[in-house]
Amino acid sequence: IKEASKNKMSNPMNTVQEIRNAFLEELSTASKEEELESVRVAYLGRKGKIRQLFDLLGTLEPQEKKQFGGAINQLKNDLQVQLEEHLAQIKSKNENASKNKEDFYDYTLSGKPFAIGHQHPLSLIGQQLYSIFRNLNFTIMDGCEIEDDYHNFEALNIPKWHPARKMQDSFYITENLLLRTHTSNVQIRSMENMKPPLRIVSINGRCYRRDASDATHYPVFHQIEGLYVDKGLSMADLSGLLVEMMYGVFEKEVEIRFLPSYFPFVEPGAETLISCPFCGKKGCSVCQRSGWIELGGSGMVHPQVLRNVNIDPEVYSGFAFGWGVDRLAMLKYGVEDIRMLMDNHIHFLEQF
């Protein structure tokens, strides 16, 4: 091309034909997509031979320029068409080769083993609880894990000076924001946005406290939080609900026992015990020979908590409970260390 430029393109059409012949020769040897791409760049790229031909148009006479320009455009189009056709042939050849390999596959060979995933015990217990409370016509709610101080403490009748705040050493992010220490914040936000009568439950809500890690404590744990607000509710209604809940989890009849206890957001408050579903109150290693298992707190919603969310305690009453889902899973599946639920060892999870 450079030599033709020096001679002012005495025979420009011969140059076009020479480039066409060289292209066809290189194209015939390209058997892979990578090789075909190299041919495309050499001829149709920004610095390819077609581009150089266009650069020589300025050296020609007007009549030659018109004829030579048309020949270059025709050459460029022909090269593009032939590249596309050759690419289609290469792809078709590769597909046929792949199909031929499949034809020779021996289907009598035994398959390769692969691990099948298992549901986590917390997921299994969560599905059971979800089914139980949907059948009881409860609304399943969820709440934010990063909560403000008001919804986590103050609205629950736990002001800043209250000694009960020492019961849970919290993870504060700012002076007013913290990782929630319980799922009771779901109660407050639900009552703020819903009018009674209301039945809500939060299942497998993640909570955070500054607990030392041991067999029964972990800084991250899960709670189920239930709330029922209506006219004329009592502890008897709470007991009936918890009996139904425990029957759904353990698939055995259980009894409920309340022991008086203090929680700022319920009055009266109680620690809830269930008759041991494994020994029927006869005494075993699970219940430490007592016949009863402690599960968590419950009680009637404190009137001040109802006032904080603009619900009249003279008209409505309510009950609430908050239990550890991890504790339920440990009891149901015989897990002795809560850390096993968090470590995610495959040999442990394969049992479920």
Side-chain angles (χ1 to χ4, degrees), residues 92-316:
S92 176
K93 183 178 180 181
N94 292 338
E95 290 177 0
N96 291 333
S98 177
K99 290 180 180 179
N100 291 334
K101 287 183 180 179
E102 292 180 2
D103 292 340
F104 290 105
Y105 183 80
D106 186 356
Y107 290 96
T108 63
L109 294 174
S110 55
K112 296 181 180 179
F114 59 93
I116 299 176
H118 298 266
Q119 286 188 298
H120 196 280
L122 289 178
S123 297
L124 293 172
I125 202 91
Q127 290 173 5
Q128 281 187 300
L129 293 170
Y130 180 91
S131 178
I132 292 166
F133 282 96
R134 285 301 295 154
N135 290 336
L136 293 172
N137 203 27
F138 272 67
T139 301
I140 311 299
M141 304 291 288
D142 199 5
C144 44
E145 295 180 20
I146 298 178
E147 188 57 276
D148 58 61
D149 187 86
Y150 173 78
H151 288 91
N152 194 82
F153 287 127
E154 292 191 32
L156 289 162
N157 210 24
I158 313 176
K160 293 184 182 299
W161 51 263
H162 201 290
R165 289 211 182 191
K166 295 182 180 179
M167 295 180 184
Q168 50 252 17
D169 200 1
S170 310
F171 290 97
Y172 273 88
I173 301 172
T174 67
E175 185 176 350
N176 189 50
L177 292 178
L178 71 157
L179 298 178
R180 66 180 179 187
T181 56
H182 45 213
T183 48
S184 299
N185 65 323
V186 179
Q187 293 185 29
I188 298 300
R189 291 192 176 274
S190 297
M191 288 190 289
E192 285 179 339
N193 297 300
M194 302 169 68
K195 294 181 179 180
L198 61 91
R199 308 182 197 185
I200 65 101
V201 64
S202 172
I203 299 172
N204 259 349
R206 191 174 297 158
C207 305
Y208 307 84
R209 294 182 190 174
R210 292 181 182 269
D211 285 337
S213 178
D214 58 33
T216 57
H217 296 83
Y218 204 77
V220 182
F221 59 98
H222 302 80
Q223 279 191 340
I224 175 172
E225 189 85 18
L227 171 71
Y228 189 1
V229 178
D230 203 346
K231 296 178 180 179
L233 295 179
S234 67
M235 291 289 287
D237 299 297
L238 171 61
S239 176
L241 175 68
L242 297 181
V243 166
E244 188 70 20
M245 171 183 167
M246 288 298 94
Y247 178 79
V249 171
F250 294 105
E251 300 176 353
K252 296 179 181 179
E253 295 287 351
V254 298
E255 297 178 32
I256 295 292
R257 174 184 288 180
F258 295 116
L259 295 181
S261 185
Y262 171 72
F263 301 99
F265 34 86
V266 289
E267 180 60 40
E271 290 286 354
T272 312
L273 287 76
I274 65 168
S275 58
C276 181
F278 305 102
C279 68
K281 296 195 297 183
K282 295 178 181 179
C284 64
S285 59
V286 177
C287 61
Q288 298 179 349
R289 309 299 171 184
S290 68
W292 295 87
I293 298 175
E294 181 181 330
L295 286 180
S298 61
M300 303 301 295
V301 179
H302 197 289
Q304 184 57 46
V305 174
L306 294 176
R307 293 189 191 98
N308 291 340
V309 292
N310 297 318
I311 295 177
D312 188 352
E314 300 296 328
V315 178
Y316 294 99

